[in-house]
Structures are given as structure tokens and as C-alpha cells.
Amino acid sequence: MSKEIEIDKVKADILMKKIVALEKINLKTQQKSDPQMILDIQKEIEEVVQCYSNP
């Protein structure tokens, strides 16, 4: 028996747009290294998961 994960498409789209915007800004400014960007993106994802997984 598998537990299905429900994904809210609107929230996922908002998160993707935010990540793309962060990447776009960083490509122009080169302020952060790839590992730092990975950590920032992971942080954004974790915040969304925590926010919406606690009803």
C-alpha cells in the first residue's frame, strides 16, 4: 500500500517561478557560487514544505 503525495500545482508553480527568478538574478550578478545557490534553493523548498505540510 503506497501513500500518495498530493501536490498543489499553483504552489509548485509559484515556487518554480521564485527559483527561476533567483537563478536569473544570480546569473547576472554572479554573487553566489553554485553550491550556495543549491543551498538557497533547498532552503526555499524546505520553507514551502514546512509551511504547507502543517495544516
Side-chain angles (χ1 to χ4, degrees):
M1 181 175 199
S2 65
K3 183 178 178 183
E4 290 188 34
I5 298 173
E6 291 184 33
I7 298 174
D8 185 327
K9 184 166 173 26
V10 173
K11 291 174 185 151
D13 286 343
I14 291 169
L15 178 60
M16 287 298 295
K17 287 177 184 176
K18 189 171 185 178
I19 291 169
V20 169
L22 288 172
E23 283 287 350
K24 186 176 180 180
I25 291 167
N26 194 54
L27 284 173
K28 288 182 181 180
T29 64
Q30 295 293 315
Q31 288 182 337
K32 298 180 181 179
S33 65
D34 286 346
Q36 182 60 46
M37 283 301 297
I38 291 169
L39 290 174
D40 288 354
I41 291 169
Q42 286 176 335
K43 181 180 171 188
E44 290 292 332
I45 294 169
E46 288 173 6
E47 286 177 7
V48 171
V49 169
Q50 285 181 355
C51 182
Y52 294 112
S53 66
N54 296 326

